[in-house]
Every structure is written in structure tokens, then in C-alpha cells.
Amino acid sequence: MARYLSVEWVEAFDAALNALDLTDAVAAAAAGGAFSVAQLVSGVPADLAGASAGGEVRVVLSVADGHAHMALDADGSGAAQASATATIALGYADALALALGRLDPADALAAGRVRVRGDLAALVAGQEVLAAAAGLLGSALDDLTDPIDDGAAPGS
């Protein structure tokens, strides 16, 4: 199992997304059908290959033509996030909890556990597309994400 937000995890998740036809979910989520959401995750464990020296990973979810694509902003240039329709920033534990469905995005936002810039509608649309993808992937998603250590509370 690849560790969450490692290069291998992003590549495996992207491959899983690419295999899905999300046309209906994209049409329902966003009128234009094309958007991107950048996620800046801090506090990433140092042993993850995709993490920068400061423990930060940047991933971008791009949605267009009924398909979703996830990629690392590996060079740290921020070019991908600069062109993102919306950007969210959060800590690793909260990002993992969101990915596993253990933290509700609206609750995380209300509690100040995530910071958002840009078009909130794109952020909501991204969550809707990811939820649709998770439903189509079913248990295959479980194999892509490492579990949360139940002894550690998200955000700590």
C-alpha cells in the first residue's frame, strides 16, 4: 500500500481516476465542467518522496471533459496551484482524515482546519467529483490510502 500523498500514491490515485467516466458527476458539480483545485498539505512526514524540505506537498486535481486527473506539483514552482480555480491549505492529518472520509469538509472549514482561496464553488465541485469517484472505486480506494493511527487525533 502506498503512503498517502507519496509519489506512488498520487500516481495510483490518478490512474484510478483516469479509468472512470465522471461525466455525470462533473456536469452536476460544475456548470462549466472544467476546474482545478490545488491542495497544499503541510506537516507531511519527511520520509515521503514527494515532500519538500519543509514537509509540504502540493497536489492538483484537474477536472475537464468528464474526467479527473491528480498530479503533484513536484518542482515546487507553484505554477499548477497559481492557475487553480481554488486552493486549500491544511495539515497532513486533516488531509488524510478527509481522504478517508473521517472528517467532513464543511466541518473542517467551519472549524478553521482548512484555509481556502479562490472559487468556493470549484472547491465544492471538486469534493462532489471526488465523492462520485470514491463511490465508483469502492473498496479499491481503501488500498490506496494508509490508515490513520487511531491514537493520534487529526490536526494534532
Side-chain angles (χ1 to χ4, degrees), residues 4-5 39-41 90-101 103 114 154:
Y4 180 63
L5 294 182
Q39 186 177 41
L40 307 177
V41 182
L90 68 168
Y92 182 81
D94 287 333
L96 179 56
L98 283 169
L100 292 171
L103 178 61
V114 299

Side-chain angles (χ1 to χ4, degrees), residues 38-90:
Q39 186 177 41
L40 307 177
V41 182
S42 60
V44 176
D47 61 331
L48 288 180
S52 69
E56 185 175 85
V57 167
R58 296 175 178 96
V59 292
V60 179
L61 173 71
S62 302
V63 177
D65 301 323
H67 292 279
H69 173 68
M70 182 173 284
L72 282 171
D73 180 13
D75 66 3
S77 68
Q81 80 189 42
S83 65
T85 312
T87 300
I88 63 171
L90 68 168

Side-chain angles (χ1 to χ4, degrees), residues 108-129:
L109 185 60
R113 294 167 72 169
V114 299
R115 294 176 310 283
V116 178
R117 290 185 308 235
D119 185 353
L120 287 178
L123 181 62
V124 171
Q127 288 298 321
E128 290 174 5
V129 169

